[in-house]
Amino acid sequence: YQRRVHGDGKLLATSSQDATVRLVRLPAAAHGEKGRWTLQAHRQAVVDVSFSKDRSLLLTGSHDCTACVWLLDGARRDKPNLILRSGEADRPLVAEVRAAKFYYMDRLIALASGPTLALHRYHVDRTVDDLNRHTNGSRHRAAQVATAPAQHITCLDCPNSFYSHLLVYAASNRTVVVYDAAANAAARTYTDVHARPALSVVMPFGGAAAEVSDTSLFNTFLTSAPDGAVRLWDLRQAASVRTFTGHANRTARVGVAFSPCMRYVACGSEDRCVVLYELASGAVAAKLHAHTDVVSDVAFNPAGPQLASASFDGRVRFWGAVREPPS
């Protein structure tokens, strides 16, 4: 499912169908097995992972209708410090959590469950250890709830490295909504964005803003759907501004990512390769072959020229600077 690289480039988190989350210290070769551990609290597939901006927390969302917050720098890593099970008016979540993100400089958690987008205020008790584990003071409550005019929200993304009142989500009715949290309303709705519902939406705020001279690029976002297309959108325009079609995607969810320099877009593919596009032209810059099954997700390291790719073959591979022509 999802792969995320820690903001300082030193930790990779992967979610899995087997209800676990695996963490790997980077560079993986230098740390070996001692730099790897597994988190397990969910009962069904974990479909989303998100690091907090302060780099101390990990958020996981699952098909078991819960989201968990894990304290990464605490004494205990075997259990989550906070489990989010309820939504509006403290009613239990009854639908799969399809997206879970830290939002608004770690002040909020955004959860997509069924047709509902909920913004939760939360507090994590950082004193929980073996001696006082029964007095966990962690808590949360839904501060704001919005409902999409669709059967369910399929994916969600939102900035967390700076304050923004905008979030972007895609829904099962093939719409993409730019949601204004300040107004508690849709700021813009894109209809028929893909031939099938979008399963990935990505905003460009990966901690490398200082390296990007054209700050207008941060008004863009990407969507991906199993119709063979990745589309680039501009918040200031009513239609897609670019389409990338050099990858194969007709069935599975494949992830996409902006490079930190905002010059490239990486995308997974069902033909077992990673496709690297030039953002400005949409041309294929490279195709990277090493996996033996569908490449399901990609993630750039924000601290250096490295790309991680994950596949249905059960492997995560790391790529350095790419100079070879497309194959």
Side-chain angles (χ1 to χ4, degrees), residues 188-236:
R188 183 186 291 275
T189 300
Y190 301 91
T191 59
D192 299 326
V193 295
H194 287 273
R196 300 179 67 181
L199 300 183
S200 296
V201 59
V202 175
M203 300 179 75
F205 46 86
E211 302 175 14
V212 181
S213 58
D214 185 2
T215 56
S216 67
L217 290 171
F218 289 90
N219 290 310
T220 62
F221 64 93
L222 294 165
T223 59
S224 173
D227 61 354
V230 170
R231 298 188 186 278
L232 177 69
W233 305 82
D234 191 314
L235 295 171
R236 300 161 297 182

Side-chain angles (χ1 to χ4, degrees), residues 16 19 25 75 79 87 112 114 131 140 155 160 186 206 237 247 263 295 326:
S16 179
R25 291 199 179 278
K79 292 183 180 180
L131 294 178
H140 75 96
C155 51
N160 190 43
Q237 299 189 31
H247 63 287
R263 294 175 55 199
V295 177

Side-chain angles (χ1 to χ4, degrees), residues 249-273:
N249 185 203
R250 294 296 176 184
T251 305
R253 175 203 173 278
V254 298
V256 292
F258 287 102
S259 66
C261 63
M262 293 298 292
R263 294 175 55 199
Y264 300 101
V265 171
C267 179
S269 182
E270 291 175 355
D271 59 0
R272 302 176 294 177
C273 70

Side-chain angles (χ1 to χ4, degrees), residues 100-284:
K101 309 288 184 185
F102 286 106
Y103 172 55
Y104 213 68
M105 298 280 281
D106 291 343
R107 295 191 178 187
L108 298 169
I109 289 175
L111 289 185
S113 175
T116 300
L117 168 62
L119 302 181
H120 290 253
R121 297 189 183 277
Y122 69 99
H123 167 74
V124 174
D125 185 351
R126 297 173 183 263
T127 66
V128 176
D129 54 27
D130 288 326
L131 294 178
N132 61 1
R133 62 182 180 275
H134 299 299
T135 59
N136 188 346
S138 301
R139 58 190 181 274
H140 75 96
R141 66 177 180 87
Q144 187 168 307
V145 176
T147 302
Q151 185 177 0
H152 58 262
I153 294 172
T154 58
C155 51
L156 161 74
D157 207 4
C158 52
N160 190 43
S161 57
F162 54 86
Y163 290 115
S164 172
H165 54 89
L166 298 180
L167 305 88
V168 179
Y169 68 81
S172 57
N173 60 352
R174 298 193 294 126
T175 62
V176 169
V177 176
V178 180
Y179 172 72
D180 186 339
N184 194 15
R188 183 186 291 275
T189 300
Y190 301 91
T191 59
D192 299 326
V193 295
H194 287 273
R196 300 179 67 181
L199 300 183
S200 296
V201 59
V202 175
M203 300 179 75
F205 46 86
E211 302 175 14
V212 181
S213 58
D214 185 2
T215 56
S216 67
L217 290 171
F218 289 90
N219 290 310
T220 62
F221 64 93
L222 294 165
T223 59
S224 173
D227 61 354
V230 170
R231 298 188 186 278
L232 177 69
W233 305 82
D234 191 314
L235 295 171
R236 300 161 297 182
Q237 299 189 31
S240 170
V241 296
R242 190 158 295 113
T243 302
F244 308 89
T245 57
H247 63 287
N249 185 203
R250 294 296 176 184
T251 305
R253 175 203 173 278
V254 298
V256 292
F258 287 102
S259 66
C261 63
M262 293 298 292
R263 294 175 55 199
Y264 300 101
V265 171
C267 179
S269 182
E270 291 175 355
D271 59 0
R272 302 176 294 177
C273 70
V274 178
V275 181
L276 198 65
Y277 294 103
E278 294 179 357
L279 180 62
S281 66
V284 174

